[in-house]
Each structure stands twice: as C-alpha cells, then as structure tokens.
Amino acid sequence: MATIGLDKLFYAKITEAANVVETYGTPQQLAKAISVDLSVELAEATLYADDGASEVVKEFKSGTLSLSVDDIGSAVAADLTGVTVDKNGVVISAAEDGGDPVAIGFRAKRSNGKYKYFWLYRVKFGIPATALATKGDSITFNTPTIEGTVMRRNKPDASGNHPWKAEVTEGATGVSPTVIESWYDEVYEPDYDGTSVSLSALTIGSANLSPTFNANVTDYTATTSNASNAITATPNDDSADVVVTVNGDSLTNGGSANWETGENKVNVTVTKGASSKKYTVTVTKS
C-alpha cells in the first residue's frame, strides 16, 4: 500500500559499555521531517557448481539514510554530528568533529490512514549539507539535509542476530495496539518468546503455589491462614516494570497483602516496552 505522509522523526542517543553493547536513551524529537531516503547495500556471494549458480548468499552490509528536515537545532546537531556549542550559543564545527551513533525513528502515513513505524538501530551522521540562495521573484525554501550511515547494532537480540531495522504496520494482523502506542517511549527491543516480560520468581510468604512456579505458567492458587503475607515478584529482566494488585488495590512489590476471608485475587503484571504479561494467583484464606 502506498504511503502519503511522513512525520514524528525522533532520535535516541546510544551509550556503549566496555563490551560495546548499546543502551538506548529516551527518544527525543529530531526535527520536522520533510523526506527520508533509505538505501541498502548488500554483501553478496555466489557459489558456482556444475557450470551454474548453486548457492547465493545476500546479507545486509550497510545503508545510507538521507534526512531532509525543516531545521536542525544546535543541541540536536551536537548530539548527531559532534559539533560544539560555545558559551555564546554559537555552533562551532571542527575538522576533528565526529558524532556518536544514534537510533532513528519515524513513521509514514499510508493511504488507508494507518501508519507504518520504523526504528533504525544504529546510524552515524556526518555534517549537514546546506543549500542557500538569494531571494528571487518567487519564494524558494532551502532546508538542511543530513546524511548518515546505517549499521547493524552490536547488541544481539534473543535469537543471537544483530538487528539494523525494526518496522511495524498499525492495524496489521498480530500487532498489539500497545506496540504502536509505546513506539516512541523507548527504542523497540525485539521480543520473540516473551522472556523480557516474564518473572523468574514469585513468592507469597511461605505459601506454596500450585502448580509450582514456572515462568511460562500464568495462573496459580495458594492457601494461607495468615492475616497477611509478603508478595515478591522478581522479573526476568531487571529493567522491566512490575505492578502488583490485590483484589484490585495496588501493592508495592515486596509489600505485605492483608487477606480477606475466602478468595483473594493477586495480579502481577510485567511490562517491558510494548510487551506485557500478567500472572494471577488466587489466594484462599481459611
């Protein structure tokens, strides 16, 4: 389906640890987008056998991203290209400048009114190109263009691969609305089996869960004779958010729940980016 629009151009700074694994910062708006041009270069090899091509291998090598925008502010220019802003707010470009890679996100409107969303995981930009012209009989807009090299990221995903791009179409089969709603909250992290939103442990005091806790099992029962028990939920991913409720009321993770006689409903929801999983324990107080 054809696209008829482009907006919401964002970037996220990358922090790299000693092992060169990327950590993405909070996405920030880059500028108002005019156009995006993405071209891809492939590494290709052909194996010939019996006087013909027997096998052909094509892999992503790199890409070129050209962004035409309305304006690039000094702070964004510093983040993307490594220029320096002096104490008077003047942008200084030096021969030694070189920006750090960033992630780039944007969306394209389709002819049915839905959007296609993108994240490019690692892009290194050069100095923006500038075109200026004197005013003539008609008004001509001259806007900056910034070009970057798209690379695969160093951090492997859960399958051991190194992604360079993520894209999703709003309303497509199997796409959760939360994926779209949270696209710009953080750089999207591939989640193939839900492990990033699983618990590694769940305890309710000394009560025994039935069945025995398993990260892939989400429904349990337990019995207690205590007036209260501490509920502790440990996420598999330390950066995931955990929300605990008891009979609909919020409870701090690790806090003690006060039981009512009979059945009590404990819900533990683990959220990481656009993915979430809910565990439920029915606790019966005798």
Side-chain angles (χ1 to χ4, degrees), residues 198-203 213 232-238 242 253 268 270:
S198 294
L199 292 178
S200 60
L202 175 61
T203 60
F213 179 77
T232 303
T234 305
N236 190 57
D237 186 330
D238 290 340
V242 176
N253 189 11
V268 179
V270 188

Side-chain angles (χ1 to χ4, degrees), residues 135-171:
K135 182 179 178 181
D137 293 334
S138 60
I139 297 175
T140 301
F141 289 102
N142 293 288
T143 57
T145 299
I146 184 169
E147 189 171 286
T149 299
V150 182
M151 301 169 283
R152 72 169 203 174
R153 75 177 190 182
N154 296 312
K155 179 183 178 182
D157 61 18
S159 296
N161 297 318
H162 298 267
W164 66 274
K165 179 179 70 169
E167 60 182 271
V168 65
T169 301
E170 182 182 12

Side-chain angles (χ1 to χ4, degrees), residues 15 33 35 43 46 66 83 94 101 123 131 143 162 164 188 200 212-213 216 234 248 285:
T15 301
S35 66
T46 303
S66 182
V83 298
V123 183
T143 57
H162 298 267
W164 66 274
Y188 180 79
S200 60
T212 301
F213 179 77
N216 297 318
T234 305
K285 181 193 173 187

